[in-house]
Amino acid sequence: MPPQKTKSRSRASVLLIYTGGTIGMIRDHKTGTLKPVDFQQISDEVPEIGKFNYKIDVVSFNPVIDSSNMGSEHWIRMAEIIKKNYEKYTGFVILHGTDTMAYTASALSFMLENLSKPVVITGAMLPVREVRTDARENLITAIEIAATIEKGKAVVPEVCVYFDYLLFRGNRVTKVNASKFEAFASMNLPPLAEAGVHLRFNRNLILKPTGKKLKLNLGVDSSVGVIRLFPGMTRQWFASQLRCEGMKAVVLETYGSGNAPTHDWFLEELELAARHGMVIVSVSQCRGGSVEQGVYATSAGLERLGVIGGSDMTIETALVKLMLLFGKKLSPKEVARQMVKPLSGELTI
Ligand code: ASP
């Protein structure tokens, strides 16, 4: 089905949650450093948004943070703000640093179960007051998407990331560029919308709400890690991470479609970890495509050991999903079962 145009309703209301990041920084010309602006005066910064006929309120983290300092306590705070204000607003826009935006987007997509309103996360590569900033366009369109409803229903009832004229499913993005405005990519799912002269939504891709009441999943267990395979890796290094005290799960960044070495020591270490109940999920180092265990002999060993094929999940999403599933106090067996199921559109079966 071709992407479709739609109109947004006037009199909608949007809650802007300002967490920090480059978007809200201004350069102190004396010292050259960046410091945060007060987004309570959002219309001073981006007067264009006053032309929307929306009610726009702002809540701000205090202090605002660079997203490199983002932790699970901040994901929880965002989820709680949304829950507290859920009935009052048509949609939500989160202003966030780009560095860990993909992790936050994934976390919120699992934390906000049965979401029926838009949560649009955006940021910018240049501060809002810079002449060539991308902040204005990102912010204006994110607000418009958050406010778009049709027949009383949100057009995008999902956690998404809006950046550089594209709207992506939040748990499908990765930051791929540190210096271009086109900073995010969603390699395994096309954009949910494209902003040109019109906002064109790819409706067949957008998740349908469950119709159930919003439920927060706020439990997070950080006893998880990522191990990236590389040629020449030593047993000592691999073992030191797999045998790390208290770890419950690991995302194994494998090659290509889920391939890994077939050396005895490598498989022995994995077998030992699996025997101790560790959940091991294979996600490809390639940004696009999917893990297909067993296609090559180099992944058949993993399959035999019970390593879970993470399909086409991003590394960010696989990691955060493990944190939240263990946060629900599920058994390793149940976590393993849910890792191969799409809970919020994060993987393709
Ligand atoms: N370091 C910043 C952050 O992630 C970068 C940005 O906002 O683009 O908070």
Side-chain angles (χ1 to χ4, degrees), residues 189-251:
L189 190 79
L192 302 181
E194 293 173 38
V197 173
H198 301 285
L199 267 178
R200 292 182 183 275
F201 292 94
N202 288 316
R203 286 165 198 270
N204 50 337
L205 293 179
I206 297 171
L207 294 176
K208 307 272 170 298
T210 58
K212 294 187 197 150
K213 202 165 162 255
L214 180 71
K215 181 179 159 223
L216 294 193
N217 300 309
L218 300 183
V220 181
D221 186 335
S222 297
S223 319
V224 303
V226 182
I227 305 178
R228 185 178 175 90
L229 299 186
F230 57 92
M233 185 170 64
T234 64
R235 179 171 197 164
Q236 232 178 341
W237 167 250
F238 191 52
S240 69
Q241 297 189 67
L242 273 184
R243 295 187 195 181
C244 179
E245 179 96 40
M247 294 304 274
K248 294 184 179 161
V250 82
V251 176

Side-chain angles (χ1 to χ4, degrees), residues 7-37:
K7 282 191 191 134
S8 57
R9 179 185 84 147
S10 59
R11 320 272 326 132
S13 55
V14 173
L15 182 64
L16 207 69
I17 304 168
Y18 174 38
T19 69
T22 298
I23 189 166
M25 298 288 158
I26 45 169
R27 203 169 296 281
D28 181 327
H29 288 291
K30 280 200 200 109
T31 62
T33 52
L34 293 172
K35 54 179 197 183
V37 293

Side-chain angles (χ1 to χ4, degrees), residues 43 52 54 83 147 189 275 299:
S43 48
F52 284 136
Y54 308 146
K83 169 86 172 159
L189 190 79
R275 234 188 300 132
S299 65

Side-chain angles (χ1 to χ4, degrees), residues 255-273:
Y255 306 126
S257 55
N259 303 315
T262 50
H263 324 307
D264 287 346
W265 69 257
F266 177 79
L267 296 173
E268 274 164 28
E269 288 299 335
L270 284 177
E271 191 180 359
L272 190 70

Side-chain angles (χ1 to χ4, degrees), residues 19-317:
T19 69
T22 298
I23 189 166
M25 298 288 158
I26 45 169
R27 203 169 296 281
D28 181 327
H29 288 291
K30 280 200 200 109
T31 62
T33 52
L34 293 172
K35 54 179 197 183
V37 293
D38 179 4
F39 258 106
Q40 294 295 340
Q41 308 307 326
I42 184 81
S43 48
D44 293 353
E45 299 302 329
V46 189
E48 296 91 325
I49 63 173
K51 294 186 185 158
F52 284 136
N53 190 18
Y54 308 146
K55 169 174 145 58
I56 299 173
D57 293 330
V58 183
V59 295
S60 182
F61 273 24
N62 185 14
V64 292
I65 58 169
D66 185 294
S67 78
S68 305
N69 284 321
M70 203 54 78
S72 55
E73 69 278 20
H74 301 105
W75 303 338
I76 293 170
R77 204 182 307 164
M78 287 177 239
E80 283 175 334
I81 293 172
I82 291 169
K83 169 86 172 159
K84 190 166 156 226
N85 293 283
Y86 199 61
E87 298 310 326
K88 285 193 249 158
Y89 294 92
T90 312
F92 300 85
V93 170
I94 300 178
L95 299 182
H96 194 290
T98 55
D99 289 345
T100 64
M101 192 182 282
Y103 295 88
T104 297
S106 293
L108 291 179
S109 78
F110 301 123
M111 283 181 164
L112 301 167
E113 197 175 326
N114 303 323
L115 188 67
S116 61
K117 297 190 176 189
V119 174
V120 187
I121 310 177
T122 194
M125 299 302 280
L126 280 177
V128 66
R129 288 192 191 166
E130 302 272 317
V131 179
R132 291 178 50 252
T133 187
D134 52 335
R136 251 176 259 126
E137 201 293 313
N138 285 350
L139 176 59
I140 292 167
T141 307
I143 290 175
E144 180 157 12
I145 291 167
T148 302
I149 56 170
E150 263 181 12
K151 297 190 188 130
K153 295 210 163 68
V155 172
V156 193
E158 291 199 32
V159 175
C160 27
V161 165
Y162 179 76
F163 223 87
D164 198 38
Y165 301 98
L166 295 174
L167 182 75
F168 302 109
R169 174 162 305 148
N171 56 31
R172 293 290 195 147
V173 296
T174 295
K175 183 171 178 182
V176 290
N177 204 302
S179 37
K180 288 192 176 174
F181 289 140
E182 205 184 347
F184 288 89
S186 165
M187 297 293 288
N188 290 325
L189 190 79
L192 302 181
E194 293 173 38
V197 173
H198 301 285
L199 267 178
R200 292 182 183 275
F201 292 94
N202 288 316
R203 286 165 198 270
N204 50 337
L205 293 179
I206 297 171
L207 294 176
K208 307 272 170 298
T210 58
K212 294 187 197 150
K213 202 165 162 255
L214 180 71
K215 181 179 159 223
L216 294 193
N217 300 309
L218 300 183
V220 181
D221 186 335
S222 297
S223 319
V224 303
V226 182
I227 305 178
R228 185 178 175 90
L229 299 186
F230 57 92
M233 185 170 64
T234 64
R235 179 171 197 164
Q236 232 178 341
W237 167 250
F238 191 52
S240 69
Q241 297 189 67
L242 273 184
R243 295 187 195 181
C244 179
E245 179 96 40
M247 294 304 274
K248 294 184 179 161
V250 82
V251 176
L252 197 61
E253 281 194 57
T254 49
Y255 306 126
S257 55
N259 303 315
T262 50
H263 324 307
D264 287 346
W265 69 257
F266 177 79
L267 296 173
E268 274 164 28
E269 288 299 335
L270 284 177
E271 191 180 359
L272 190 70
R275 234 188 300 132
H276 282 97
M278 184 177 268
V279 175
I280 304 162
V281 183
S282 164
V283 175
S284 177
Q285 294 182 11
C286 301
R287 288 307 192 181
S290 185
V291 165
E292 292 177 65
Q293 266 179 186
V295 169
Y296 289 90
T298 44
S299 65
L302 301 186
E303 180 80 2
R304 265 196 310 278
L305 293 175
V307 171
I308 298 155
S311 181
D312 58 355
M313 266 189 290
T314 64
I315 290 153
E316 294 89 331
T317 293

